Each structure stands twice: as C-alpha cells, then as structure tokens.
Amino acid sequence: MRACGEGLRVAIMTDESGWHTRQLQQALRARGAEGRCLDLADVRIDTTVADHGLLLPGWGRALPDAVLVRGIAGGSFEQVTRRLGVLHALAALGVPVYNDARAIERSVDKAMTSLLLHQAGIPTPACWALESPELAQRLVMRESAAGRALVLKPLFGSQGKGLLRVGWVDGAHVPLPPLDGAYGQVAYLQRLLPPPADRPGFDWRVLVVGGRARAAMRRQGRGWIHNVAQGARVRAQPLDAGEGPALARCAEAAAAALGLDYAGVDLMPAESGPVVIEVNGVAAWQGLQRACRVPVAPWLVDDLLQRRVGGRRGLRRA
C-alpha cells in the first residue's frame, strides 16, 4: 500500500487534534503520505497570494494533494458558510475532498437528511421541520392525542445533546418547550420509535466506507438515548448474520443518498426491519473501533488514496 500514497500531502481539516487525527496521520505515514492538521477557520481567501486565491497556513502558495474532513468548528452562519465555501473551492480546483462540502451540508442538517432518505425510499421515522411555534405545538398535541411521542432535536446537534421527548411520554402529555437556544427557533421533530417489547431499547451504528458497510456496533444506553458520548454500552454487531445484512443494505443506501464517502449511520429496530434515524458525515469511530477491533483509519485512508486520489498528482500548484 505504501506506493499508493508515496509523497502525497494530505490536509486533515479539524477543529481539534487528538486520538482521531493521530490515527489518520499514522495511517497516512504507513502509506508514504503526510497528514497535516489544519483548522478551516484558519484558511483564508486571498486573491493576491496565488492564482487559486486560497491561503492555507503552513502550505505557502501550494494546495494539498487531498483533503480529509475530520471536523468543522461551529460558529455563526457566516463563519460556517465561509468554511464550507473553502471546501467547495478546493473541490472546484481539482483537490479530492473526503467528505466533500455538499455531502457534509446534506448530513449536518438533520431535516435535509430526513428529506433525502424519504425521497430515496429508505426506511426512516416520520419527521417535521418548521419555524412556527404555534404549528409545531399543534403537531405535538395531535401526535400526543394519538398516543405517540416525538423527539425534538437541534437541527445541527450531535452526540445526543439537546434531545427531548415531547408528546405522549410515559403516560402524560409533554408540551413543546421554547425553541430558542440550541434549537435556533426551528422545530425538527422525529417520531419516536418505541423499543421492542421483548428487550431493552438500543440502536446500531454502522460505518460505511467507500459505499460499503465495513463494521457495526450495537449501542444500549442508560435511558432512551444511546450515544456513546452519553455513556452507552457497546458491543460488535456482525454484518454477515442475523440482522446484519439488512443493516448493511440500509446503511449503504443512506450513505449513497447523501453522497458520502464515509458515514456513521444510526439505525433502530422496527417491526418492518431497521430504520435509519441519523447519518453522520463527520463520524467519530473510537467506540466502534474498540468494540469491533477493526482498523478504521486505514480503511478511510485507503479509500481516499485508491478511489478518490488514484493516479492524481501535481495538485500543489500556486
């Protein structure tokens, strides 16, 4: 594998360096490539510096041979738009961006994710996204009257933060709270899937790389939220037996619907089979790697170098 990346310089876009970036740098070094961490917030548009108009700190007038997006810091609408604009610009200049800006835009917006999954015919819970508190409250009351609960989620949230159950919850009506703060005056509501009657609630995380489901874990939380960051217990979920093949098919279709090079796809069980609840385009994998004992960073790097970079060279132009 070393010749595949020999001499290549890869920018790892991240707002924080740590275990994940070290894993990626190690995998790149093993293939003869160099991985440099860079925060998109530090990349400048400067049309006086080079023909391409971008200034990447530490790169001079050059561009990287490829970009691997590990994290994008939050910020104002203007800040996030500018950072994604840099990724768009790099792709337009011929630099492979993994995942690219369009895919990240689709996956970071939970409402757009739900819409695209629905349009692709992929099983996913009913959802609503609206800005009217009055209409949202009416919707919650209607669902509650039918004995159903909804999950209110921040449109751009992650790691299970800010999730609230509303509607008919544990035998009582829970109204919609004010939509300020983390919700940004937007009600993104997803119909809650009840846990199976014969076992505790849980969900699955499936890692898709290059269009193929590579590994999966089952997550069981202390309550109704099953994110590893919220203390869920995890164990490996085989993809070649039992529910595994259905999980793999669903996760691969979800990643394809959003145009993702790699994705963490979250699914829950339902009577009809697995249902996709979220798709993460900047997925962490420490918990999955620990549970499944698989080499995730090498998978990502190999897919980037083989499928996206291939024989490309000479992209470091001024």
Side-chain angles (χ1 to χ4, degrees), residues 111-225:
M112 181 55 64
T113 295
S114 291
L115 182 63
L116 292 172
L117 293 174
H118 173 73
Q119 291 175 347
I122 297 165
T124 190
C127 90
W128 298 262
L130 55 164
E131 295 184 34
S132 166
E134 295 79 15
L135 289 177
Q137 197 67 264
R138 272 187 236 162
L139 166 66
V140 172
M141 292 177 68
R142 187 186 75 205
E143 289 288 299
S144 183
R148 292 189 289 257
L150 301 170
V151 182
L152 173 67
K153 300 182 178 183
L155 203 61
F156 303 122
S158 63
Q159 297 184 331
K161 297 175 182 176
L163 273 58
L164 290 176
R165 290 182 297 175
V166 297
W168 194 252
V169 181
D170 296 333
H173 174 71
V174 178
L176 189 75
L179 295 174
D180 52 3
Y183 305 106
Q185 305 300 328
V186 173
Y188 169 72
L189 295 155
Q190 195 177 58
R191 189 173 283 165
L192 180 67
L193 295 173
D198 59 340
R199 45 188 167 168
F202 66 94
D203 70 5
W204 294 284
R205 162 63 64 92
V206 179
L207 178 70
V208 178
V209 180
R212 178 184 162 202
R214 302 297 299 267
M217 64 180 174
R218 174 170 157 160
R219 308 183 297 190
Q220 184 174 330
R222 296 169 181 165
W224 65 279
I225 298 175

Side-chain angles (χ1 to χ4, degrees), residues 235-246:
R235 62 178 175 83
Q237 167 66 52
L239 288 172
D240 57 357
E243 298 151 314

Side-chain angles (χ1 to χ4, degrees), residues 79-91:
Q79 288 174 313
V80 174
T81 299
R82 194 198 67 83
R83 292 164 194 168
L84 289 169
V86 169
L87 295 181
H88 280 296
L90 287 164

Side-chain angles (χ1 to χ4, degrees), residues 1-112:
M1 287 303 306
R2 185 177 178 84
C4 183
E6 193 71 55
L8 293 181
R9 295 193 298 172
V10 177
I12 301 171
M13 297 298 187
T14 180
D15 56 321
E16 57 180 22
S17 299
W19 183 87
H20 288 87
T21 53
R22 289 194 298 272
Q23 292 274 305
L24 291 169
Q25 289 175 314
Q26 181 180 346
L28 285 163
R29 281 196 301 272
R31 286 144 185 82
E34 177 189 4
R36 296 187 191 176
C37 293
L38 182 61
D39 193 335
L40 274 168
D42 296 330
V43 178
R44 304 198 295 274
I45 293 174
D46 186 342
T47 58
T48 69
V49 201
D51 291 342
H52 51 68
L54 294 174
L55 184 61
L56 285 67
W59 294 78
R61 293 172 175 264
L63 293 177
D65 292 297
V67 168
L68 202 159
V69 181
R70 173 60 218 133
I72 301 175
S76 67
F77 178 78
E78 291 80 3
Q79 288 174 313
V80 174
T81 299
R82 194 198 67 83
R83 292 164 194 168
L84 289 169
V86 169
L87 295 181
H88 280 296
L90 287 164
L93 288 163
V95 179
V97 179
Y98 187 100
N99 286 307
D100 67 25
R102 285 182 60 80
I104 291 172
E105 287 165 351
R106 295 184 190 110
S107 62
V108 76
D109 177 348
K110 290 185 176 65
M112 181 55 64

Side-chain angles (χ1 to χ4, degrees), residues 106-108 113 117 254-255 258 260 263-266 276-281:
R106 295 184 190 110
S107 62
V108 76
T113 295
L117 293 174
L258 274 64
L260 290 159
V265 183
D266 297 340
V276 178
I277 54 171
E278 288 190 14
V279 182
N280 192 324

